[in-house]
Amino acid sequence: MSFKRFSFTIFLAFFILTLLVTVGFAEELKIFYGNLHSHTSFSDGRGTPEEAYDYAKKYGDFLAVTDHCYFLKIPVDGQKKTVITQQAARNATEPGKFVGLQGFEWTAGSGHINVFETIDFISRDEKGDLKDFYEWIVKSKKLAQFNHPGMTFGNFQNFWFVPEADKYVNLVEIGNGNSTSNDTISEEMYSNFILALNRGWHVSPTANQDNHKQNWIGANDSRTGVLAKSLTYDDIMDALWNRRTFASEDKNVKLYVFGNNRIMGSILYDSTQITLAVKYEDKNDPVEQFSIVTQSKVFEFKEVVGKDSFEITKTFDVSDGYEWYFVYIRQKDGNEIVSAPIWVESSEPVKANYVRIGPEKPRYGQQVIVNFDLYNQSESDASGELNIYLNGNLISSEKVNLKPYEIIYDKSISLNNIPIGNNKIEFYFNNKNIQSSYFEVLEDSGVTVLIDRLHENDISENFKKFLKDLENEGNQVTYSETVLAGYENVNAVLISTPKLDGLSFFKDLTPEEVEWLNEFKGDVYLIRGSDDEYFEMYKSLLKNAIVIESIDELYKIFNINKSSEAEKKSLSKTVFIDQGHSNDYYKDKLTLLEKYLRSIDYKVEYINKIEKLDGSYLVIMNGKGYTDEEIKNIADFLKMGGTLIITSKSDYQNGGNTEDLNTLLDYINSPVRFNDDQVIDEINNYGANFKVIANNIRFYSACSLILYGKADILISSDTAKSIDSDGKNDAETVDKVILAASFNFVNGKVILLGKAIFSDYDFTLNVDFIKSCLFK
């Protein structure tokens, strides 16, 4: 027998053995479909937990009810809501038929996180920092899931990595939405999933519906697929803890992925090769794209395109001591499926992750800064020697001692005189390769602009588009990685000052940064962010900084032509007034407001449906029944720079549409909500206690506002009180009555009023406030 024939025989035997083992595992593990993120009337949803589980049984195998934590402090008939929900979950569970799960959703400006199967909970009211949450989850040892990471709700400070918390946060939601559309896996959430993996998180993807209506699991076809031995509580929880999930926009696809005969979600140690075996089945739903995605590369395989069932095996060399692999599938109908990763790691507990090259596209002659996180993934001390190589040559060596789960963020080394072309940097700890990264050095051209991203910067979409145009014309854009100081070969620094939300201690410039920026030989430009206080602070600290009022100025300064993508149509001077959702006032009662708006050159349009809006203002007055698409359109309107004025009213005769309005506000991560109450004032009123006067503004039968985060209070009262007028015990206690507040959302602004104050009955009495604070 020839050597070639012998080799082929060995390969064929190995291939058959791999398939047999894979099929065996596939038979042992079954796929179940469900939803790990939903809400009820215990927070801002509808229905009871019992109703949720009963409804979900018709559409899936498991449901987790995860109501918002800040509502859970209010008991029901003297019982904790978490206890009631967990008991409902246990009562709904029928082995082999359905599994009910219970949890809560922690929400803060940095992001939202589900925690499963716990009576105790942490609320943003007392513990609103991500650091607080990670300390709590490590102490509580409960399973958690990152929810809908992205601009709207936050991405956990770019998935700030905490090694010990990685033991418990094992899931990440990359599909979210309860509209009828199956298109729930977004490019933004998918990209954030990859960012989480690169930071070091061992997380498996899920696709959930985040139901706030009575359509638990049944809203659309998006599901979380779970690979478990059986449909029991213990087996489902075991699968979730071990990351055996996939995110799917198709409700019955079957997907198994194995690496070296280990099921997806597994971590393999010290393997130099990995053989991935994939089994796919979805009758009449053929594949249009099949990819294996790794930390270093995306591999496309055309041979399975057009098939609705197949088994495929691929072998890869593992290039270093930290790599991950997952499967991405797009079906011909557009539905996407994303598997759990399989990790291949060095058994050495010390890891080097989140490797960043600055500038991202260095030019010849530039100094390159390599930043990375170094951490101990174990519960024991770790010590040894860290060696770093560039193109095979040792460039750095140091002794490192790390305590259990200790992490050193943003370690860095500087590289000079790097050759043009592709370069490879490798990290070795105790002579084991723990990470590697490739980067390209380009020939010299253009100018280099340093962008600050360390200080909760308010980076708008327009600013991002300018930076892209800047690069497209041959210039270099680089980003600050550790400290905004010490950069060489930089021609200009652009600082978009901090956003209103976020953590204050990240916003402050250090003395070192202030000194470097004031001594910088080039130009420093300040772009106004939404936090006015910090904008003024930056102006006072940076004496020579040039203040930029609009992104258009940057195009002129750098002599850059706008691409069609960078063009942003300025908002038209139009005020849209909603009339189609049972709003309190129709156009015949808004004649004075309309006359005023036209006098300051605004066009007024009365609309019955919230579609794509091109205008400056949108007015909603105690509306209800907004569809998911309309709520998304409102969020898009705000992202474009519009102003939303939204009002409610008191709960007298249950008149306020609080639930619907708060659902809308939750979508934009509002730090303010409407209370289900009535405001009365026995001292400052105009004829009756519900006709409240506050700050010389008149409110006829208003509700109060509840602040959960940072917002500007526009109107409050020291003499007014909150009462539960409808007697439903659903009014939250407030220490001080707030009747008007505002906050910024992306590029837009939201103004909330406890009652509309600009109808023909109220306009003349409140005209000064209307002109100075509402419509300008």
Side-chain angles (χ1 to χ4, degrees):
M1 181 184 293
S2 69
F3 176 76
K4 287 185 178 179
R5 187 175 178 185
F6 176 75
S7 298
F8 175 76
T9 303
I10 293 295
F11 171 78
L12 183 62
F14 174 76
F15 177 78
I16 293 172
L17 178 61
T18 299
L19 285 182
L20 287 174
V21 173
T22 300
V23 171
F25 271 114
E27 290 176 351
E28 180 183 352
L29 294 173
K30 300 177 178 62
I31 296 177
F32 303 101
Y33 306 92
N35 180 3
L36 294 171
H37 187 177
S38 70
H39 301 279
T40 71
S41 60
F42 277 17
S43 62
D44 57 347
R46 299 177 183 176
T48 64
E50 289 86 356
E51 290 171 335
Y53 295 122
D54 286 343
Y55 187 95
K57 287 179 180 181
K58 296 178 287 186
Y59 296 95
D61 300 311
F62 59 88
L63 174 73
V65 171
T66 54
D67 279 306
H68 292 281
C69 56
Y70 47 91
F71 287 93
L72 299 180
K73 294 185 292 185
I74 305 170
V76 175
D77 297 329
Q79 278 193 298
K80 280 187 175 182
K81 288 180 178 176
T82 51
V83 172
I84 297 172
T85 303
Q86 193 172 85
Q87 187 57 57
R90 298 296 90 84
N91 292 340
T93 298
E94 300 177 70
K97 295 183 178 179
F98 183 81
V99 171
L101 302 174
Q102 166 270 341
F104 70 88
E105 183 176 17
W106 179 83
T107 62
S110 54
H112 298 185
I113 302 175
N114 273 358
V115 182
F116 302 100
E117 292 303 319
T118 172
I119 298 301
D120 298 323
F121 59 91
I122 178 175
S123 175
R124 71 184 184 191
D125 300 343
E126 300 87 20
K127 299 287 187 178
D129 290 345
L130 200 53
K131 180 176 180 290
D132 295 326
F133 177 84
Y134 289 143
E135 288 175 352
W136 184 89
I137 199 73
V138 165
K139 182 178 179 181
S140 301
K141 296 179 171 53
K142 298 296 183 180
L143 176 68
Q145 168 184 275
F146 292 121
N147 287 346
H148 42 61
M151 178 186 292
T152 302
F153 297 108
N155 75 337
F156 317 98
Q157 296 169 19
N158 287 324
F159 284 96
W160 171 43
F161 186 62
V162 178
E164 192 168 8
D166 180 50
K167 296 164 62 177
Y168 307 104
V169 189
N170 286 359
L171 305 166
V172 60
E173 193 173 64
I174 67 167
N176 178 282
N178 61 21
S179 69
T180 55
S181 170
N182 294 331
D183 187 15
T184 59
I185 297 177
S186 72
E187 182 178 346
E188 183 181 35
M189 287 190 284
Y190 178 80
S191 297
N192 273 296
F193 168 46
I194 291 175
L195 172 60
L197 297 179
N198 287 338
R199 287 300 301 255
W201 293 101
H202 293 85
V203 286
S204 178
T206 66
N208 304 305
Q209 296 179 7
D210 196 359
N211 309 86
H212 286 76
K213 300 176 181 177
Q214 292 167 300
N215 57 1
W216 304 277
I217 306 184
N220 52 52
D221 288 349
S222 285
R223 302 286 190 273
T224 294
V226 171
L227 280 67
K229 292 181 179 179
S230 66
L231 186 57
T232 63
Y233 171 85
D234 288 340
D235 284 345
I236 292 294
M237 286 300 294
D238 177 73
L240 297 177
W241 271 107
N242 288 285
R243 302 174 293 270
R244 295 198 301 271
T245 71
F246 60 87
S248 176
E249 293 176 340
D250 184 291
K251 64 182 180 181
N252 51 26
V253 63
K254 290 182 169 57
L255 178 64
Y256 295 89
V257 182
F258 299 86
N260 294 355
N261 300 325
R262 296 279 302 280
I263 190 65
M264 57 188 182
S266 299
I267 302 173
L268 313 181
Y269 293 101
D270 298 326
S271 296
T272 57
Q273 275 193 336
I274 181 171
T275 298
L276 293 179
V278 181
K279 181 178 180 180
Y280 168 91
E281 183 180 336
D282 195 4
K283 295 299 183 185
N284 301 318
D285 274 324
V287 167
E288 184 177 67
Q289 179 184 344
F290 177 87
S291 307
I292 293 177
V293 184
T294 77
Q295 180 183 228
S296 51
K297 190 174 181 181
V298 177
F299 299 89
E300 302 278 350
F301 298 97
K302 303 292 187 183
E303 59 262 45
V304 298
V305 171
K307 297 182 179 180
D308 62 7
S309 64
F310 59 84
E311 294 181 7
I312 186 172
T313 301
K314 297 291 178 180
T315 298
F316 301 88
D317 291 328
V318 180
S319 59
D320 57 49
Y322 194 91
E323 186 61 279
W324 44 259
Y325 304 80
F326 67 80
V327 168
Y328 170 86
I329 293 172
R330 186 178 68 250
Q331 298 174 326
K332 286 204 170 180
D333 60 7
N335 287 338
E336 297 174 284
I337 302 102
V338 181
S339 81
I342 295 173
W343 289 264
V344 181
E345 302 178 14
S346 164
S347 56
E348 172 59 55
V350 173
K351 314 291 182 187
N353 263 323
Y354 198 33
V355 179
R356 290 142 292 155
I357 307 297
E360 293 178 1
K361 297 177 181 178
R363 302 192 315 272
Y364 180 69
Q366 275 190 304
Q367 183 184 57
V368 172
I369 308 296
V370 180
N371 295 281
F372 60 98
D373 296 344
L374 189 74
Y375 56 93
N376 179 5
Q377 190 74 68
S378 74
E379 58 187 17
S380 303
D381 291 341
S383 60
E385 187 171 43
L386 174 66
N387 291 324
I388 303 176
Y389 296 84
L390 177 65
N391 299 326
N393 299 310
L394 181 66
I395 56 173
S396 175
S397 181
E398 66 173 304
K399 297 287 186 181
V400 176
N401 296 292
L402 294 170
K403 296 176 181 177
Y405 301 111
E406 183 181 357
I407 181 168
I408 304 173
Y409 297 103
D410 293 321
K411 281 184 70 66
S412 66
I413 58 170
S414 301
L415 307 178
N416 294 289
N417 303 317
I418 308 170
I420 295 172
N422 291 322
N423 294 270
K424 182 180 183 181
I425 188 164
E426 298 173 283
F427 300 81
Y428 280 76
F429 196 83
N430 289 337
N431 296 319
K432 287 187 177 180
N433 185 320
I434 58 173
Q435 187 60 272
S436 64
S437 183
Y438 293 86
F439 63 96
E440 183 182 6
V441 174
L442 307 173
E443 294 185 14
D444 190 22
S445 65
V447 299
T448 298
V449 180
L450 174 65
I451 312 300
D452 179 28
R453 63 176 179 187
L454 299 174
H455 301 94
E456 298 282 3
N457 306 87
D458 199 349
I459 297 178
S460 69
E461 290 301 311
N462 272 358
F463 188 28
K464 291 178 184 177
K465 290 172 183 176
F466 163 74
L467 297 178
K468 185 174 182 180
D469 285 344
L470 191 66
E471 285 187 300
N472 287 341
E473 295 204 10
N475 302 290
Q476 177 63 49
V477 175
T478 185
Y479 294 86
S480 58
E481 295 291 355
T482 55
V483 63
L484 190 58
Y487 289 86
E488 298 181 6
N489 302 316
V490 171
N491 304 107
V493 179
L494 299 185
I495 303 173
S496 183
T497 59
K499 58 188 176 183
L500 192 60
D501 294 328
L503 304 176
S504 294
F505 64 84
F506 283 134
K507 297 181 181 182
D508 294 324
L509 293 172
T510 67
E512 177 188 3
E513 291 173 325
V514 173
E515 180 181 1
W516 183 77
L517 289 166
N518 280 327
E519 294 178 356
F520 179 64
K521 301 301 182 184
D523 291 322
V524 176
Y525 298 95
L526 291 183
I527 299 99
R528 182 189 290 271
S530 56
D531 192 322
D532 291 335
E533 178 184 351
Y534 271 89
F535 174 71
E536 295 299 330
M537 186 186 302
Y538 277 41
K539 278 175 56 179
S540 65
L541 289 172
L542 306 180
K543 306 299 184 183
N544 301 318
I546 301 167
V547 175
I548 300 298
E549 296 296 341
S550 75
I551 301 302
D552 286 341
E553 290 182 47
L554 290 176
Y555 279 96
K556 294 177 182 178
I557 290 168
F558 288 92
N559 194 26
I560 300 298
N561 295 318
K562 280 187 177 183
S563 68
S564 58
E565 183 181 0
E567 290 280 1
K568 177 184 174 182
K569 185 167 58 176
S570 60
L571 297 177
S572 68
K573 291 197 70 175
T574 304
V575 177
F576 296 99
I577 300 179
D578 183 27
Q579 301 278 273
H581 301 83
S582 302
N583 282 253
D584 277 352
Y585 298 107
Y586 292 97
K587 60 185 298 184
D588 62 322
K589 299 296 189 297
L590 299 169
T591 61
L592 296 179
L593 174 64
E594 182 177 344
K595 182 179 179 181
Y596 165 68
L597 292 173
R598 295 191 186 283
S599 75
I600 56 173
D601 298 324
Y602 278 96
K603 179 182 178 183
V604 178
E605 286 192 21
Y606 297 96
I607 57 175
N608 293 313
K609 185 177 180 181
I610 311 293
E611 298 180 316
K612 296 292 184 182
L613 301 177
D614 170 26
S616 301
Y617 289 91
L618 169 63
V619 180
I620 292 174
M621 297 167 288
N622 196 39
K624 64 180 180 179
Y626 296 94
T627 67
D628 294 332
E629 182 180 1
E630 288 179 308
I631 292 174
K632 182 180 183 300
N633 288 338
I634 293 170
D636 290 342
F637 165 76
L638 289 166
K639 290 176 183 178
M640 290 297 293
T643 297
L644 168 65
I645 297 175
I646 183 168
T647 74
S648 184
K649 68 187 297 184
S650 79
D651 69 343
Y652 176 71
Q653 295 184 343
N654 203 28
N657 295 318
T658 313
E659 184 178 327
D660 292 67
L661 296 172
N662 285 339
T663 296
L664 190 162
L665 291 171
D666 268 347
Y667 186 84
I668 57 175
N669 206 25
S670 170
V672 189
R673 296 173 60 81
F674 292 114
N675 202 358
D676 201 334
D677 69 348
Q678 179 169 33
V679 174
I680 60 170
D681 196 324
E682 303 292 349
I683 300 171
N684 293 304
N685 65 61
Y686 57 106
N689 63 5
F690 61 86
K691 300 179 178 180
V692 174
I693 300 177
N695 296 33
N696 294 318
I697 312 301
R698 301 193 177 203
F699 290 87
Y700 183 96
S701 195
C703 72
S704 68
L705 308 181
I706 306 166
L707 269 63
Y708 290 103
K710 190 170 182 180
D712 293 324
I713 297 174
L714 303 179
I715 302 174
S716 62
S717 172
D718 292 324
T719 56
K721 296 180 181 179
S722 164
I723 63 170
D724 185 32
S725 181
D726 63 9
K728 295 193 174 195
N729 296 319
D730 49 6
E732 292 196 40
T733 303
V734 295
D735 295 327
K736 183 176 183 177
V737 167
I738 299 169
L739 288 157
S742 69
F743 67 94
N744 294 325
F745 176 76
V746 192
N747 299 313
K749 185 174 184 178
V750 180
I751 301 173
L752 300 93
L753 300 164
K755 178 70 162 57
I757 61 169
F758 36 72
S759 71
D760 288 349
Y761 305 111
D762 307 306
F763 185 86
T764 303
L765 298 169
N766 298 323
V767 67
D768 291 339
F769 179 80
I770 293 169
K771 290 182 177 181
S772 62
C773 290
L774 299 186
F775 303 97
K776 300 179 183 179

